[in-house]
Amino acid sequence: MRIGMALNYSGGFKETVAELADYEKAGLDIVFVAEAYSFDAVSQMGYIAARTERLEIASGILPIYSRTPTLLAMTAAGMDYVSDGRFTLGLGASGPQVIEGFHGVPYTAPLGRTREIIEICRRVWRRERMEYEGKHYTLPLPSDQGTGLGKPLKLINHPVRPRIPIVVAAIGPKNVELAAELAEGWEPIFYVPEKAADVWGPSLAAGRAKRQDELGELDVIAQASLAIGDDVAGLLEFGRPMAALYIGGMGAKGRNFYNDLARRYGYEKEAEAIQELYLEGKKNEAAALVPHELLESMSLIGSEGFVRDRVAAMKESGVTTLNIAPFGATHEDRVKLIEQIKEIAS
């Protein structure tokens, strides 16, 4: 089981990257860099590539709507180049609030677009001359939609690897099925190992049934906050505001994927109440309603025995990469946590 860590959206970036060298020595395998409506992830990942040696670097995630498919491919090839083959392309659809609100692009056909983007990226990395006719993307642009001067081009450079790993962030049934079919990895959110098979099992099975052997086994990447000790249970409370934001505020009624997930986990009444309060601006009240059981079951916060049991449950459910958020008062504490979780997961 690999150990990963996500960088925060903002604040203390250079300090965090300076600490990555120690995390790398402690056993950290991969770092994920987010891009929502924050600073772009690519410039940050390039900086990380220059400051690390072994650590794998992943976008976590690049939204599929804010760049053309070929630019996503070029960016991934460029990142793989500057990192000497340590890059993973994390892709995701994000949501209508961000895509239409911040980027001004229609949030349409996330499934179809993701499929076509993956196909185009892999053709670019193989240095094929780009001629592609899809439902959502056509290369070159048809003459009746532009000047008619577009030419089928291929990537000038030779990529470090002709196949860069792709991870798809997904929680909806069809999106998860697509990830299991086409991607090297799948990254859900709010992962509860005991409920994963019920919620995602059929989708994973359907996708794996169509999966090509050359892709290998699906890398399942689960996120979890981490703190080990007999007096750390109170740290679970730090997860409330974020859970409430996603369950209550990331989308409108009927268009909130995270709220849907909470309902599928069996928290229908809580999910409805959290959303009602959050959309009314009562964020603290909404956070107070996030079930303690949910916070605990998707975390690695507790005694060493508790954490060992949770990691075992993660493994049994199919998790192959733990993407942790270490809670430590000092840099030394966080290094120790990474050493501990690396030993527990090995």
Side-chain angles (χ1 to χ4, degrees):
M1 180 180 278
R2 294 191 304 173
I3 302 301
M5 187 182 80
L7 258 63
N8 292 327
Y9 286 112
S10 62
F13 173 73
K14 288 186 178 180
E15 292 80 3
T16 301
V17 174
E19 294 175 349
L20 280 177
D22 291 335
Y23 298 153
E24 191 175 33
K25 293 175 184 176
L28 190 69
D29 297 298
I30 185 168
V31 61
F32 294 82
V33 183
E35 182 180 282
Y37 42 100
S38 52
F39 293 137
D40 80 287
V42 179
S43 58
Q44 298 176 71
M45 292 188 294
Y47 184 87
I48 292 170
R51 299 295 299 271
T52 57
E53 298 177 359
R54 177 190 59 81
L55 196 64
E56 295 180 51
I57 304 164
S59 54
I61 48 100
L62 295 183
I64 61 172
Y65 294 95
S66 53
R67 296 170 176 84
T68 65
T70 43
L71 179 56
L72 283 166
M74 292 164 62
T75 298
M79 274 302 310
D80 212 40
Y81 172 63
V82 299
S83 66
D84 295 321
R86 293 185 283 140
F87 182 66
T88 291
L89 176 61
L91 297 172
S94 186
Q97 282 188 322
V98 175
I99 300 307
E100 296 186 357
F102 196 68
H103 295 290
V105 178
Y107 189 86
T108 58
L111 278 171
R113 290 182 186 278
T114 301
R115 179 178 292 275
E116 292 186 15
I117 285 169
I118 290 173
E119 292 174 354
I120 291 169
C121 281
R122 287 175 174 157
R123 290 190 184 190
V124 169
W125 299 332
R126 293 195 297 265
R127 299 189 71 244
E128 295 181 10
R129 200 167 294 279
M130 281 313 303
E131 293 182 276
Y132 186 87
E133 291 188 17
K135 183 176 180 180
H136 308 287
Y137 303 103
T138 302
L139 302 170
L141 189 69
S143 58
D144 62 345
Q145 296 182 31
T147 64
L149 299 177
K151 292 184 177 181
L153 304 174
K154 66 179 179 180
L155 189 68
I156 293 174
N157 311 85
H158 289 260
V160 174
R161 292 180 292 175
R163 188 171 203 130
I164 296 168
I166 293 175
V167 167
V168 172
I171 55 176
K174 290 297 182 181
N175 301 61
V176 172
E177 180 179 336
L178 181 144
E181 176 191 351
L182 293 179
E184 279 83 2
W186 165 55
E187 184 176 12
I189 192 172
F190 300 154
Y191 188 89
V192 176
E194 290 82 0
K195 297 184 178 183
D198 292 335
V199 172
W200 291 305
S203 298
L204 291 170
R208 282 170 168 146
K210 296 176 284 186
R211 187 178 181 83
Q212 296 179 356
D213 291 340
E214 63 191 50
L215 287 172
E217 291 297 318
L218 182 68
D219 183 19
V220 178
I221 303 163
Q223 305 171 17
S225 298
L226 172 67
I228 302 174
D230 295 325
D231 57 351
V232 299
L235 294 174
L236 282 172
E237 295 301 307
F238 286 102
R240 284 190 181 277
M242 182 63 72
L245 167 64
Y246 277 80
I247 296 171
M250 283 291 191
K253 287 188 176 181
R255 291 300 300 274
N256 183 323
F257 312 127
Y258 313 100
N259 190 277
D260 293 342
L261 177 59
R263 292 171 184 269
R264 292 167 69 194
Y265 275 158
Y267 301 108
E268 294 91 349
K269 292 181 180 179
E270 293 90 340
E272 182 175 356
I274 291 167
Q275 188 175 55
E276 289 280 354
L277 289 168
Y278 206 96
L279 295 179
E280 291 174 5
K282 300 175 181 178
K283 298 179 181 180
N284 292 334
E285 292 88 338
L289 292 184
V290 175
H292 181 273
E293 178 189 38
L294 176 61
L295 292 172
E296 184 177 54
S297 61
M298 62 187 188
S299 82
L300 297 172
I301 295 177
S303 66
E304 182 175 335
F306 173 83
V307 172
R308 286 187 181 276
D309 288 344
R310 298 311 297 156
V311 170
M314 292 273 194
K315 282 186 176 181
E316 186 175 351
S317 72
V319 173
T320 48
T321 297
L322 272 179
N323 190 12
I324 61 163
F327 284 157
T330 66
H331 172 57
E332 290 72 21
D333 290 339
R334 292 187 288 275
V335 170
K336 183 178 178 182
L337 280 171
I338 291 171
E339 290 174 340
Q340 287 178 288
I341 197 64
K342 185 71 175 181
E343 183 276 323
I344 290 171
S346 64

